[in-house]
Structure formats: C-alpha cells, structure tokens
Amino acid sequence: MSEVYKVIYTGKLKPGTNQDRIIALFSEKFKLGPDKAEKLIISGRPVTLKKDIDLEKAEKYQESLEKLGLTIELDPKPPVEEPEIPEISSDLSLVSFDNGDEDATEVLDPTMNPAGGRCPKCGSPNMQMGICQDCGIVAAKYHAAQAREADMATQIDQGKADAGTEENPYTTPEAELEQPVEGDMTGPHGVSAGNGLKWIGRGWWHFKQAPVSWVAVILIWFVLAFVFSLIPILGALVVNVLTPVLIAGLMIGCHEQDQGEDFSVSYLFAGFANNAGQAIMIGVFYLIFMILFAVGFAALMFGSIGELAAQQADPEAMAMMFFSSSFVIGLLVAALLFIPIMMAYLFAPALVALNEMSAWEAMKASFTGCLKNILPFFLYSLAAIVLMIVGFIPFGLGLLIVSPILIAAIYSAYRDIYYS
C-alpha cells in the first residue's frame, strides 16, 4: 500500500503577504465562510487541511496553498534524493555534552548520526557528530524528547478514554478542505458580464483549429436529426433523449482541444463512452419538463387541450386569439417558465461527461451556474441571436460555422464558471 500524507498549515503566513487578502482568497477558493477562514488563518497553530492522500496530490495542495501565501508542510516529509555525505574523521575523542538535562548525552561522536544520516526534525542530511548543521538539533536529545511526548500522549489517550468526552489538546486540529487544487472544479462562480462575449471569441478559436472536422460534425448531426424526424413520434423522442449524449461528446472534444489535442469527427459520439447513462437521463428529464411545460402552457392559454383543438377548427377565432393581449402575456409567462429548463440543461452534458456527475446533480449545478451569471448570458444570447440571423442569410449555410462556434462557446463558459 502506498504511503499517505497530510497537508498541514503551520499557522504562519509567508513574509510580506497581506493577511486580509489571504483570508478572502482562502474563503473563496475552499468555500469556507469568512469567519471560519479567518479563525483558521490567524490561529497561529498547525492545522491539518487534508489527509490520507497520495504524494502527488499532497504536493499539488502544497503548491496551491503556498501560492495563496500560507506556509505548508507535508507529513510525513516527502522523500528526497540523498546526497553523498562526506566521511568525517574518526580521530575525535568523546566529549561529554551536559547542560543539566536529565537526558544529557555524549554527542561529539561521528557514529551517533541517526539512522539514514538525516536530522529527525528537519530532514536535513547535513549531520555531523549527532548534531544537525542546519537547525542545530541534537539527535539524541530530540529522540529522548519525542519518547517523553509519546508517553505523555499515551497517558492523555488513556485519560480521554476514561473521561469519555474530554478533547485531546495535543492533537493537531483538522479542517478538511473539499475543493483544493488547480485543476479541480471549484465553481460555479459568478463572472463579469463581458465574459459572455469572450466565450464566443473562444468558441471561434476552437472552430478555427479544426474547421473541416467541426463542419462535418454539424452536417452529420443535421442528417441524423432529419432521418429520425421521419419516424413519427418515436423519432422525436429519440432525438431529444440522445442529444445530450452528442453534446457531451463535443464537450469532450473541446476539452481535448484545450489540452492541445486535435479535434475529430469521432468526438460527436464520444459521449456514448463517457457516463452515457446519465447523459441519456438528462434527455429524459428534459423531455419530461418539456411535456409538463407544454401541458401547462396549453392550460394557461386555452383552458384545456380539448379547447385548443376546438379553436383550431375555427381559423377566425384562432386569429383573434393570437392578437389578443392575453395571448401575448401568456407567451411572456411561457418564456419565463422555459428559461429555467434551459438553465438546468445548458451545462449538464459537460458536467456529466467531464465531471462524472449524476444527471440530476448536473442539472442542478447547471441551473446554479446560469443563475449566478445572468448578465454574461444576456450578452451571450444577444450575440448568439445576431450570429444565427447572419448564419441563416446565405441559405442557412452560415449555420455550419455559427453552430460549432456557439457549441464551443458553451464549453468555454463551462470552464470559466466552474473552474478557477
């Protein structure tokens, strides 16, 4: 079994750092309340921030936290290459070292270096005659002190067992962090309104890296949708249920482009190999919501589906209804009801494919991400409408370019909102 590590905040900040700024950044990054973050940062005592993780992840935590300005240590200390230790002359006689302590010992002995030739406190290999040349600790005295502390801890544990609820004051406090290092999802965050236009700019970047593949993807998608639409009722159901899977595949393709990989047509179907069951469930939930929406809209506008059918038989009545104020108000209400459905749907395929969320959790996270970014999405929507209109002008051929840009822009928004 590989060794596990703890990430420990020493209670000290790096020199020259701003304490208030560090508290604010720490609170935001790790989703702690400002009061709790402040109490942890200014405690002045060691606090275990993460435990039972491997060395690679522990070092990522350390790097991320030290960038904030905290002084971080790993326990146990990670292994380092041992440099060659020069031989020390053995022509020295033993010299008694006694400062009055009960554990006084003879230390000027080249054979008294601890096992491994390293300082038991700081880990330095620079040991001479039992004394660390970096921190000045005397190995024998340090081990004796450690033994006393171990005995004391044993007594405390025994007392705690007898007392039942008394807390051990010698235990390092723990404040387990949930969302830590660079590369982990930390959102959803609110971003500035102007980012809505930046997403489209980034979408254009994705498209121009592989324009032929992107155009081919859209053509294949259109053809599949058309073929399924020829199947009465069932075809429309299949398209609605499988669309999130296809979108998930394109989100994976965008992610691979971000990592420097090439985009290919195969990514259109990559979603079938990445949490496909949950992506299909997004389509199922979306279909249920849309059915409820349609029934509710019909009930609001016409009283019942049957009455709607009756009005359709009278063209004049239908025309009067469409120009009535109640119909216009009904459309506005319907739009307000439809928007939350799209908010829950927008990022769900990406969250399922790239973060392995369940469909329901992904839709909740998508809704929250959109809710925190109303203004950016307003600007994005305006720009998208303009691009769609322009795309329709040359017989709809422009959609072969506009569609990939808007799809990749959704991925860019996902990265912007859900990651630091």
Side-chain angles (χ1 to χ4, degrees):
M1 180 178 177
S2 59
E3 190 167 17
V4 295
Y5 292 82
K6 290 182 180 180
V7 179
I8 300 175
Y9 166 50
T10 64
K12 299 178 182 179
L13 302 178
K14 291 187 175 182
T17 53
N18 183 299
Q19 178 176 288
D20 293 336
R21 180 176 178 274
I22 292 175
I23 292 172
L25 291 173
F26 188 87
S27 174
E28 178 182 357
K29 187 174 184 68
F30 297 103
K31 308 304 177 195
L32 294 177
D35 293 339
K36 188 174 181 179
E38 180 178 9
K39 184 177 180 181
L40 188 150
I41 295 296
I42 67 175
S43 65
R45 56 188 299 205
V47 179
T48 298
L49 300 179
K50 199 72 178 175
K51 61 181 181 179
D52 298 333
I53 56 177
D54 59 32
L55 177 59
E56 181 181 359
K57 194 163 187 178
E59 289 178 336
K60 287 184 179 179
Y61 271 92
Q62 184 178 29
E63 179 183 2
S64 180
L65 290 163
E66 287 186 342
K67 284 181 180 178
L68 294 181
L70 282 67
T71 303
I72 301 297
E73 292 181 350
L74 303 183
D75 182 29
K77 293 185 179 297
V80 294
E81 291 187 16
E82 296 190 11
E84 290 188 15
I85 302 176
E87 293 186 4
I88 302 175
S89 172
S90 58
D91 297 335
L92 298 174
S93 60
L94 296 178
V95 178
S96 178
F97 182 85
D98 189 350
N99 62 356
D101 291 346
E102 60 182 0
D103 61 328
T105 185
E106 294 176 336
V107 297
L108 297 182
D109 183 351
T111 66
M112 291 188 66
N113 287 337
R118 293 185 172 278
C119 172
K121 181 179 180 182
C122 72
S124 170
N126 193 12
M127 296 289 295
Q128 294 185 16
M129 294 171 288
I131 302 176
C132 177
Q133 302 303 303
D134 290 331
C135 69
I137 195 72
V138 179
K141 292 173 66 64
Y142 182 83
H143 285 306
Q146 289 290 93
R148 288 198 303 271
E149 288 184 9
D151 290 340
M152 184 181 297
T154 301
Q155 295 173 9
I156 291 171
D157 287 341
Q158 183 62 44
K160 186 174 180 179
D162 295 340
T165 58
E166 184 178 354
E167 183 180 357
N168 184 353
Y170 295 91
T171 302
T172 302
E174 297 181 355
E176 185 78 358
L177 300 179
E178 294 299 329
Q179 297 185 336
V181 291
E182 187 176 353
D184 284 353
M185 191 175 80
T186 57
H189 311 290
V191 300
S192 63
N195 285 28
L197 299 179
K198 292 180 180 179
W199 300 335
I200 293 179
R202 186 65 179 175
W204 166 248
W205 177 88
H206 281 279
F207 173 77
K208 70 180 184 179
Q209 300 306 307
V212 175
S213 295
W214 274 107
V215 169
V217 160
I218 299 303
L219 283 173
I220 294 172
W221 194 344
F222 284 175
V223 170
L224 290 175
F226 175 76
V227 170
F228 279 108
S229 68
L230 298 177
I231 306 174
I233 302 177
L234 182 61
L237 294 177
V238 170
V239 169
N240 277 284
V241 169
L242 294 185
T243 292
V245 185
L246 301 181
I247 295 175
L250 296 181
M251 296 298 102
I252 295 170
C254 289
H255 178 72
E256 292 302 314
Q257 280 188 295
D258 264 357
Q259 304 302 312
E261 301 295 331
D262 293 331
F263 181 85
S264 66
V265 176
S266 62
Y267 282 115
L268 179 61
F269 306 104
F272 288 98
N274 289 270
N275 209 8
Q278 293 302 315
I280 290 173
M281 285 304 301
I282 294 172
V284 172
F285 285 134
Y286 175 75
L287 195 59
I288 293 172
F289 290 148
M290 289 305 297
I291 292 173
L292 294 176
F293 169 78
V295 172
F297 176 72
L300 175 67
M301 296 299 299
F302 312 107
S304 69
I305 299 295
E307 186 176 340
L308 172 60
Q311 294 215 32
Q312 285 179 334
D314 185 350
E316 186 176 346
M318 286 291 291
M320 292 294 293
M321 180 189 65
F322 286 138
F323 288 102
S324 65
S325 59
S326 60
F327 185 80
V328 174
I329 294 173
L331 284 179
L332 292 175
V333 173
L336 292 176
L337 293 175
F338 179 70
I339 289 173
I341 297 176
M342 294 309 301
M343 291 168 65
Y345 185 85
L346 190 65
F347 294 122
L351 291 166
V352 161
L354 298 174
N355 301 99
E356 298 184 349
M357 286 188 177
S358 68
W360 187 248
E361 289 300 320
M363 295 184 82
K364 289 195 296 183
S366 176
F367 179 84
T368 304
C370 293
L371 190 63
K372 290 185 175 183
N373 293 278
I374 298 297
L375 288 179
F377 274 110
F378 179 71
L379 286 181
Y380 168 81
S381 299
L382 290 180
I385 290 171
V386 172
L387 288 175
M388 292 293 286
I389 292 173
V390 172
F392 269 111
I393 291 174
F395 307 103
L397 295 177
L399 295 178
L400 295 176
I401 297 176
V402 172
S403 297
I405 292 174
L406 296 182
I407 291 171
I410 295 301
Y411 170 79
S412 299
Y414 153 78
R415 290 294 306 183
D416 193 20
I417 291 171
Y418 292 91
Y419 289 81
S420 297

